[in-house]
Amino acid sequence: SSEVLEAIENVIQGVVQSLAQKKPPVLTVANRADWRNIEFKDSVGLQMIPGCTTKQIRSDCPQSARRFALTLKILSTIYKMVQSNTYATKRDIYYSDTLLFGSQSVVDQIINDISCMLKIPRRSLHVLSTTKGFVAGNLSYTEEDGTKVNCTCSATAVTVPSNVQGIKNLTSHAKFILIIEKDATFQRLLDDDFFSKVSPCIMITGRGIPDLNTRLLVRKLWDSFQIPIFTLMDADPHGVEIMCVYKYGSVSMSFEAHHLTVPSIKWLGLLPSDLKRLNICKDALIPFTKQDENKLASIQKRPYIACQPLWKKELEIMAASKLKAEIQVLTTVSADYLSRVYLPNKLQFGGWL
């Protein structure tokens, strides 16, 4: 915490010095949205390069003066929380003055900018994300406040903890981890008692694009157990994008890649090639939108696809057919085909990429 306080004090000192010299204060932050600031490493995923381009948040410029003021306001909130050892979610910070901040996304972006500017992970700033992910299966752990959580005996899923770094005593006999894109599929597998029927496993869903806590938990489970991690996604560009976030990280959070990515994650399904192999009826597939075409084209150009020839092939199949499928399409074969046949066969015979 002293490191965090010192980093914030240095920023404020810079502001005060500028004012003393009658110069308008300026904050310099890394340009997080620029692919030119990103390098791809097999072992880490997408990470920010050391000498990346920056942007200035100026106090004397009408376009950025408001941003400058809000950044100082949030820095002051963080400083007080670290000093008093209290925590708040991003939503708490937004609701402390909704009129001032204007929207939740403004608060989210500024907090990420601050984390990147100070080179300090967000949880060390005492800012917690609101969690939306679920976990179930063969896993138990103790939360920071001493609460014991057992995901194994629960017929319902457990919410991913809001302070993943604080959990300890993780125990599991799981043979693998299954990341599931959507809540509906996750619930279906939970109802089918999938995690105990096939072999003990841990199931996780970020319910779409994963929040920070879900990604931190996947990484923590990988560090703790070093067991295979598979993904079950829709066979569409959006599903591939979500899988890449878990595996290689995202451009906007590349400054934290070391804590968030698991490059050993495997693509279990739903593969575009599975659709032909299983004779899925064309009427059950969904035609691409222009947005899908653009998304797929952008994914195909990314640096990590070049080192994944089998993934490249699958994306080419998708691009050629211009058709996409949700995991639910497997119910057209039979109602419980996913949990009874598809997943057990894939896991038994190595049907992943």
Side-chain angles (χ1 to χ4, degrees):
S1 62
S2 58
E3 191 187 317
V4 181
L5 296 175
E6 193 183 330
I8 296 173
E9 283 159 11
N10 288 340
V11 172
I12 301 306
Q13 206 169 355
V15 170
V16 172
Q17 275 169 353
S18 296
L19 290 170
Q21 292 162 5
K22 299 209 166 19
K23 289 181 188 165
V26 171
L27 297 173
T28 305
V29 297
N31 203 342
R32 291 187 297 113
D34 193 339
W35 273 93
R36 288 170 301 183
N37 285 336
I38 309 299
E39 64 178 353
F40 170 66
K41 266 196 174 168
D42 259 0
S43 57
V44 181
L46 300 175
Q47 62 175 11
M48 198 169 262
I49 57 173
C52 66
T53 60
T54 55
K55 56 182 181 182
Q56 290 193 324
I57 305 173
R58 301 188 62 87
S59 59
D60 63 341
C61 167
Q63 282 85 8
S64 63
R66 176 179 157 74
R67 185 78 166 207
F68 180 90
L70 293 180
T71 305
L72 289 193
K73 163 80 176 163
I74 291 176
L75 272 170
S76 131
T77 304
I78 290 169
Y79 192 86
K80 285 176 197 152
M81 290 195 301
V82 175
Q83 257 188 333
S84 59
N85 197 24
T86 54
Y87 288 81
T89 65
K90 294 184 299 181
R91 282 187 82 71
D92 295 333
I93 294 172
Y94 168 59
Y95 280 111
S96 69
D97 200 332
T98 53
L99 282 175
L100 177 71
F101 293 119
S103 77
Q104 180 71 60
S105 64
V106 167
V107 173
D108 297 356
Q109 284 167 10
I110 290 174
I111 288 166
N112 285 341
D113 274 345
I114 288 171
S115 175
C116 187
M117 177 172 71
L118 302 179
K119 295 186 172 55
I120 288 168
R122 195 164 73 195
R123 58 207 159 275
S124 302
L125 302 176
H126 287 227
V127 178
L128 304 173
S129 307
T130 314
T131 296
K132 65 183 179 105
F134 288 137
V135 59
N138 196 298
L139 175 70
S140 59
Y141 55 85
T142 309
E143 287 198 349
E144 199 179 28
D145 63 0
T147 309
K148 288 186 167 56
V149 178
N150 188 350
C151 307
T152 314
C153 59
S154 177
T156 55
V158 172
T159 307
V160 168
S162 58
N163 188 358
V164 174
Q165 295 311 102
I167 66 173
K168 48 189 184 294
N169 306 330
L170 287 90
T171 53
S172 176
H173 302 294
K175 297 284 183 281
F176 63 92
I177 295 163
L178 183 64
I179 300 171
I180 299 155
E181 178 184 349
K182 284 186 181 149
D183 193 24
T185 310
F186 179 86
Q187 296 297 342
R188 179 68 209 246
L189 290 174
L190 200 59
D191 294 343
D192 289 351
D193 201 19
F194 173 76
F195 63 79
S196 56
K197 272 184 190 161
V198 176
S199 74
C201 73
I202 299 167
M203 301 195 311
I204 292 181
T205 180
R207 299 163 74 197
I209 296 169
D211 59 303
L212 195 70
N213 293 327
T214 305
R215 290 173 63 189
L216 282 168
L217 182 62
V218 169
R219 176 61 199 238
K220 185 150 189 136
L221 293 172
W222 164 248
D223 288 338
S224 304
F225 304 123
Q226 300 276 311
I227 52 178
I229 304 181
F230 303 111
T231 59
L232 180 62
M233 305 280 151
D234 288 342
D236 67 9
H238 191 64
V240 174
E241 171 99 289
I242 288 170
M243 172 170 60
C244 291
V245 169
Y246 283 108
K247 186 175 171 78
Y248 296 122
S250 58
V251 175
S252 64
M253 294 298 289
S254 57
F255 63 95
E256 269 211 62
H258 287 272
H259 310 287
L260 293 171
T261 59
V262 185
S264 61
I265 284 173
K266 304 288 182 211
W267 187 4
L268 188 69
L270 185 64
L271 303 177
S273 59
D274 288 341
L275 302 174
K276 193 172 179 187
R277 185 174 60 82
L278 299 171
N279 287 322
I280 301 291
C281 170
K282 272 227 165 123
D283 295 345
L285 306 178
I286 307 158
F288 262 25
T289 61
K290 188 74 192 137
Q291 201 180 0
D292 290 326
E293 284 182 41
N294 295 341
K295 169 78 76 188
L296 183 57
S298 111
I299 292 170
Q300 285 176 303
K301 290 192 195 99
R302 290 186 193 168
Y304 43 68
I305 297 299
C307 68
Q308 289 280 4
L310 297 175
W311 281 33
K312 207 173 165 192
K313 264 193 189 141
E314 293 293 333
L315 299 184
E316 282 162 6
I317 293 170
M318 200 189 287
S321 73
K322 291 194 175 174
L323 293 168
K324 57 185 182 176
E326 297 186 331
I327 299 159
Q328 283 81 349
V329 81
L330 296 176
T331 57
T332 62
V333 184
S334 73
D336 58 352
Y337 188 77
L338 175 68
S339 60
R340 188 176 52 84
V341 181
Y342 181 82
L343 289 175
N345 282 353
K346 283 247 168 185
L347 293 161
Q348 190 180 344
F349 300 112
W352 56 79
L353 304 179

